[in-house]
Amino acid sequence: MPSLADGQNRFMACLQKGPGHFPADLFSETDDRALLGLRAHANTVSHARLVALENAYPKLHAHMGHEPFHKISRDYIEQDHILTCDMNNIARDFPEFLHQNGLGASEIDLARAEWGWIESYNSAEAPPLVLEDIAALAEDQLLAFPVAAHPAARLIRMAGPLSPELSELGEETPAGLIIARPEAEVLFHPVDATSADIAEKIANISTMGNLLSLAIELGDETSAMDRIVHLIRAGTMTKRKQDQDNDETD
């Protein structure tokens, strides 16, 4: 008698790969009745995957229109590694799939922005750095102030014209899009190329002095602090974790 694991594997292979993998000795019903039930179940699972993509990318769905979005979605979910993927992560590789299949830069940008929104929403909690944390510091204290990238911050480099679905960002396409969740709400913040370069490197920065030096190096001295203030207000930074822990124990 086949083992439970073997039976489960054969059952899943049939659902994922079709009637050619039908396990004829696994069901008490006749083959045609069993296949009918499996088809209904497979269609339900396939529909659930498509709905999961629509829910993950509502702006892209609206941008492309239902039929084009549905067609590329079906091609995506029929990949072998997606057939075995759980619903929580099924949409993760969709932007890269769009890129591999030659969709336009606007569509890919929008997909990356929407997945960045989901990642930001589901990221770990951390108190955001706010201007009040550093406003009263002396110069030496400010330069030594410990900083880290906020776990909910994401950066998207924009490669094409801004989608109408992101019209709230303005008429011009920004060089980058910061996605952050400093409090309860996930927000989009358009940034220029220099600010995007700075934001990208925050993860490798340990103090405000290092960040200021980087901002001067990538931009200029007169605008460096303004750029840092903008990034703080966007919610891209938090106090370094070990320093938060030290504060709590003091």
Side-chain angles (χ1 to χ4, degrees):
M1 176 180 291
S3 68
L4 175 61
D6 179 62
Q8 289 173 333
N9 289 336
R10 293 163 67 204
F11 179 79
M12 290 304 299
C14 180
L15 289 178
Q16 294 168 1
K17 300 178 181 180
H21 291 76
F22 176 66
D25 59 340
L26 201 62
F27 303 99
S28 59
E29 290 282 353
T30 60
D31 288 357
D32 60 335
R33 293 297 298 171
L35 272 170
L36 183 63
L38 286 171
R39 285 194 184 98
H41 183 68
N43 286 338
T44 299
V45 173
S46 177
H47 178 71
R49 291 191 177 108
L50 292 172
V51 170
L53 284 181
E54 287 185 19
N55 290 339
Y57 299 99
K59 290 182 180 294
L60 181 63
H61 183 214
H63 173 98
M64 293 181 65
H66 181 73
E67 289 305 322
F69 182 87
H70 187 270
K71 182 179 184 303
I72 194 74
S73 296
R74 183 162 291 284
D75 292 341
Y76 175 75
I77 66 170
E78 289 178 354
Q79 299 175 99
D80 286 345
H81 75 284
I82 298 299
L83 290 172
T84 59
C85 190
D86 68 84
M87 287 295 183
N88 290 326
N89 293 307
I90 194 171
R92 179 183 58 198
D93 297 331
F94 195 49
E96 181 58 28
F97 184 78
L98 299 182
H99 174 70
Q100 293 172 356
N101 283 268
L103 266 75
S106 294
E107 287 78 14
I108 297 168
D109 287 348
L110 184 55
R112 287 174 175 162
E114 292 203 270
W115 184 250
W117 191 100
I118 292 172
E119 286 189 323
S120 181
Y121 180 84
N122 291 316
S123 291
E125 299 286 343
L129 181 67
V130 294
L131 293 178
E132 288 78 2
D133 293 330
I134 60 174
L137 298 179
E139 182 177 349
D140 58 335
Q141 294 174 312
L142 176 63
L143 295 178
F145 190 88
V147 296
H150 195 284
R154 298 292 184 273
L155 172 67
I156 308 297
R157 298 279 188 169
M158 307 296 280
L162 194 66
S163 166
E165 295 300 315
L166 294 174
S167 59
E168 71 272 16
L169 301 180
E171 296 182 358
E172 296 184 7
T173 301
L177 187 62
I178 288 175
I179 305 166
R181 195 203 68 222
E183 299 296 344
E185 186 177 5
V186 180
L187 299 173
F188 289 162
H189 302 271
V191 291
D192 63 17
T194 301
S195 292
D197 290 342
I198 297 169
E200 189 173 46
K201 297 181 184 300
I202 292 175
N204 301 319
I205 293 297
S206 59
T207 68
M208 189 63 71
N210 296 146
L211 183 60
L212 182 59
S213 296
L214 174 68
I216 293 172
E217 177 186 341
L218 294 176
D220 58 72
E221 189 168 356
T222 57
S223 65
M225 200 62 204
D226 287 340
R227 294 184 186 280
I228 291 174
V229 167
H230 181 67
L231 293 176
I232 291 173
R233 285 176 170 160
T236 62
M237 284 174 258
T238 185
K239 196 172 184 180
R240 205 169 51 207
K241 180 71 167 64
Q242 58 265 40
D243 295 281
Q244 292 178 30
D245 295 339
N246 291 339
D247 290 344
E248 291 172 1
T249 57
D250 287 346

